[in-house]
Amino acid sequence: MTVYYDPTGSRYGMPTYPYRMAPDGLATRRQLRAAGLRPAGQEPVCQILWRRGKRVAYLYRLDLAKPKRTATPAQREAIAKALRARRTCAVCGLVQPYYIPRRYGCCLDCHGGPR
């Protein structure tokens, strides 16, 4: 475990800690997202290495993180329109409860069922 303990960053280029040994006040992108935050353009300040150095997680400062942005009503409308277009068959024009497979270009009924 102490192989990855490099708080000065001399060995790995940035401060590095073993799994579950990072200092407080830091979080991964996933942890930030779960807390409703985003990195807000900041670079990672350190990293965690585990599984013989094959896994890495970058850590960001919590005090510099900002709240996640929310989509505007116009953006939500555009997303809904795009997702509806992915469910609309080009042949029969029906809106299906599933996304139309791109390889067929039409719904499974028009294509003749799954193959």
Side-chain angles (χ1 to χ4, degrees):
M1 288 292 271
T2 59
V3 138
Y4 302 123
Y5 186 75
D6 179 25
T8 61
S10 60
R11 190 177 331 156
Y12 297 104
M14 71 184 331
T16 304
Y17 299 94
Y19 186 65
R20 295 185 186 236
M21 290 189 64
D24 292 334
L26 302 173
T28 63
R29 279 184 176 270
R30 184 173 286 188
Q31 291 168 334
L32 288 174
R33 188 179 317 128
L37 300 171
R38 61 185 170 97
Q42 65 172 307
E43 295 294 321
V45 293
C46 66
Q47 64 184 354
I48 295 175
L49 289 177
W50 73 100
R51 294 213 178 159
R52 297 187 183 120
K54 293 182 182 180
R55 296 292 309 249
V56 63
Y58 297 107
L59 300 176
Y60 301 88
R61 290 178 43 182
L62 283 171
D63 59 338
L64 297 179
K66 294 185 179 174
K68 287 196 306 186
R69 294 179 283 201
T70 58
T72 65
Q75 289 172 327
R76 280 194 230 113
E77 185 179 327
I79 291 168
K81 185 177 177 183
L83 293 178
R84 184 178 175 92
R86 288 182 60 191
R87 295 188 348 248
T88 305
C89 177
V91 176
C92 65
L94 294 177
V95 177
Q96 300 295 336
Y98 56 87
Y99 293 130
I100 305 296
R102 288 176 48 194
R103 76 175 114 176
Y104 302 145
C106 59
C107 67
L108 298 178
D109 293 333
C110 292
H111 185 263
R115 293 183 185 194

